[in-house]
Amino acid sequence: MKASVNYSSYEIKDDLGKLIREGDLVEDDGTKGKVVTGGNSHGKIGLGVEYEAGGYDWLDVFPNGTLHVYGHEEAEK
């Protein structure tokens, strides 16, 4: 099941319907990352994912839109 993206409110939910928020730990087919707030040179600001292996993508394209929240960074400390 794909993650649901509401572009008018920039809300993205995972495969089980949980709202994804900054600091969540997400995975898709073995690719893991942490949700962070990011921006680009065009002034777009929103949530993205920093991959464990390096790199960054906007949350709605990480890596193919099928996301599962498996934790939160505060709980991991």
Side-chain angles (χ1 to χ4, degrees), residues 3-76:
S4 65
V5 180
N6 181 342
Y7 289 101
S8 62
S9 65
Y10 298 103
E11 289 184 346
I12 301 176
K13 295 181 180 179
D14 78 352
D15 58 341
L16 300 176
K18 179 181 177 183
L19 184 65
I20 298 173
R21 57 194 173 94
E22 187 174 13
D24 280 345
L25 304 173
V26 295
E27 67 179 321
D28 175 21
D29 297 331
T31 302
K32 294 184 177 184
K34 180 174 74 172
V35 178
V36 297
T37 299
N40 67 16
S41 61
H42 301 288
K44 179 180 177 181
I45 297 174
L47 294 178
V49 175
E50 287 183 343
Y51 299 103
E52 279 185 350
Y56 174 89
D57 246 334
W58 291 110
L59 186 58
D60 56 347
V61 295
F62 165 77
N64 66 19
T66 307
L67 300 167
H68 179 72
V69 175
Y70 69 90
H72 192 77
E73 71 177 337
E74 291 300 316
E76 300 292 316

